Amino acid sequence: MKDAEGNFEIPALVAAAHELKAPLVLLRQLSLQLQNCDDASRCAEITRRIKLTSERSLRLVDGLSKTARLEDAMFELKPIMINGVVNEVVSEIQPLADALNQEIRVKSRRRSVVVGHLDLIRTVLLGLLDNSLMAGTAKNKIDISFSAGREQLVLSVRDHGQKIDRKVYRSIMSNLGHGAVGVPDRPLSSGLGLFVATRFATYMKGSLSAVCHRRGGMTFKVSLPLSRQLELF
Amino acid sequence: MRVLIVDDDAWFAESLKGCLSGFEVGIITAADDIFPAIEQFRPDILLLDLILSEQNAITFLNEFASYDDLQTLRIFVLSSAAKDFDAKTLTDFGVEKVFDKADFTPQILEAAI
């Protein structure tokens, strides 16, 4: 987020401000509604949405603040069992998926160990899942899968949101990691989340890429180096 | 009085509907559904977000301006990005007033009507 002279990049700051405004606007609106609510079940639903929206904002802010600390190399990389992280993250974001009436499916069970940082991997995965949930509609399914090559593990998050225009897709791909670009056809998705995910993946000697699908939706893929420690046994 | 909310954030739209007591309120979350909803719901007022999925609001406003029979529909823009758009451009498209979501209340709409 800082340029070569250590100054914060203005476009990223502006994008962050825009993105953080949206959930705050929603929180304000929900609290206005709660003020006048006299139906207990309706009030409970509004309260649930306030909680979920504020948690989303906190995740975004948390990811952003970690990005600022990357340059200080404060995140030690070590072997991480990816399956455990995936299951934990899915549990954490499940309430939001339930509220949006969408399903998250973990399609791979093979045990894989990568070299990374637990917190950074969690943030990347939470960001991609949040994006997918926001891009989808009720009854949508999101699939998480991972496959191991010789050197890298590829963790894929596939959503079935709307079709992305090819020009928009090229714009996303050319800007990943270079600026907090929004996703024009997916206003509720987080360009900032993709920016943070790209930075974290790069820090862990991995990468982030995306594929758009002809029938709709996107797959975001995070590649991370496989741990060779288990080969010693 | 009938109000049609056009916003791709369903939670925001539902919450706003919950605050607009005294109005009959419909919600559309996709720009492609606006014209069919106008024909079916026959709103008096359109509360339009600017940044939508599939198509942005300016594209809709362009098309809207070409339909003489819809010009009695009053359009108000309600958007977090309100300050990023030139108000004159929007009023040239027939937008009556632009509200920022950050400080909007139903009383503000009532006063504008």
Side-chain angles (χ1 to χ4, degrees):
Chain A
M1 291 273 287
K2 291 184 182 175
D3 61 23
E5 285 152 21
N7 302 311
F8 280 104
E9 294 164 354
I10 298 299
L13 276 178
V14 170
H18 270 294
E19 271 213 36
L20 291 171
K21 187 177 175 184
L24 288 173
V25 156
L26 177 55
L27 284 170
R28 178 182 171 275
Q29 182 56 50
L30 288 166
S31 63
L32 282 175
Q33 191 186 5
L34 191 61
Q35 260 180 341
N36 300 321
C37 180
D38 50 20
D39 177 84
S41 66
R42 188 73 202 136
C43 289
E45 175 59 21
I46 295 168
T47 307
R48 177 167 84 134
R49 289 182 179 187
I50 286 174
K51 177 177 174 289
L52 291 171
T53 305
S54 54
E55 282 169 355
R56 283 191 72 223
S57 297
L58 285 166
R59 280 196 291 266
L60 201 53
V61 168
D62 187 51
L64 207 52
S65 68
K66 282 193 191 104
T67 309
R69 288 172 13 225
L70 281 179
E71 279 107 14
D72 300 332
M74 289 179 67
F75 301 97
E76 191 190 335
L77 305 183
K78 43 184 152 179
I80 305 280
M81 177 76 73
I82 199 70
N83 314 61
V85 182
V86 168
N87 291 336
E88 209 182 280
V89 164
V90 170
S91 295
E92 185 174 334
I93 208 163
Q94 192 62 53
L96 182 59
D98 291 341
L100 294 170
N101 196 15
Q102 297 183 42
E103 186 187 347
I104 300 175
R105 305 185 294 199
V106 180
K107 298 202 123 185
S108 303
R109 301 286 167 204
R110 182 186 156 154
R111 291 156 64 84
S112 298
V113 181
V114 299
V115 177
H117 187 277
L118 179 61
D119 221 5
L120 299 187
I121 295 173
R122 284 186 70 252
T123 305
V124 168
L125 194 47
L126 279 167
L128 295 184
L129 285 172
D130 185 283
N131 259 334
S132 295
L133 286 169
M134 292 296 118
T137 51
K139 301 207 172 98
N140 192 34
K141 292 180 185 9
I142 294 162
D143 295 324
I144 302 173
S145 58
F146 39 95
S147 59
R150 286 185 58 193
E151 304 282 334
Q152 300 260 314
L153 177 102
V154 177
L155 179 64
S156 302
V157 177
R158 161 77 155 113
D159 69 65
H160 299 269
Q162 67 204 74
K163 205 167 154 189
I164 302 286
D165 180 75
R166 286 207 76 77
K167 243 187 342 190
V168 169
Y169 170 68
R170 279 197 287 270
S171 166
I172 294 169
M173 293 313 296
S174 67
N175 281 296
L176 270 182
H178 301 299
V181 65
V183 186
D185 283 354
R186 300 178 159 203
L188 296 180
S189 291
S190 171
L192 202 58
L194 294 179
F195 171 76
V196 168
T198 307
R199 287 286 175 103
F200 287 1
T202 307
Y203 181 87
M204 292 186 283
K205 312 274 187 292
S207 61
L208 182 74
S209 61
V211 171
C212 68
H213 300 281
R214 199 161 41 91
R215 292 202 179 132
M218 291 188 75
T219 296
F220 283 91
K221 299 184 185 205
V222 183
S223 297
L224 294 169
L226 280 166
S227 170
R228 291 293 168 210
Q229 273 201 351
L230 293 181
E231 288 179 359
L232 298 175
F233 299 94
Chain B
M1 190 166 272
R2 289 195 175 143
V3 176
L4 182 65
I5 298 171
V6 182
D7 197 311
D8 61 340
D9 187 339
W11 284 6
F12 181 85
E14 283 166 22
S15 183
L16 182 57
K17 179 179 176 178
C19 290
L20 290 173
S21 56
F23 295 93
E24 193 181 334
V25 182
I27 293 173
I28 293 294
T29 55
D32 283 353
D33 296 335
I34 301 179
F35 285 111
I38 288 173
E39 275 183 48
Q40 198 173 10
F41 186 64
R42 303 249 175 237
D44 302 291
I45 290 167
L46 195 68
L47 268 183
L48 179 68
D49 191 6
L50 285 173
I51 306 200
L52 303 165
S53 311
E54 295 166 20
Q55 179 191 62
N56 69 41
I58 302 298
T59 310
F60 158 75
L61 288 170
N62 240 319
E63 187 179 346
F64 176 82
S66 65
Y67 299 137
D68 282 341
D69 57 335
L70 294 182
Q71 298 312 305
T72 53
L73 176 59
R74 299 174 72 180
I75 301 181
F76 297 91
V77 160
L78 176 58
S79 178
S80 298
K83 295 185 171 76
D84 299 331
F85 282 76
D86 175 24
K88 174 137 191 347
T89 305
L90 294 173
T91 50
D92 287 348
F93 277 122
V95 170
E96 199 165 315
K97 210 151 178 163
V98 179
F99 302 120
D100 192 328
K101 279 182 179 178
D103 44 38
F104 180 79
T105 61
Q107 292 74 22
I108 289 175
L109 179 64
E110 282 162 16
I113 292 169

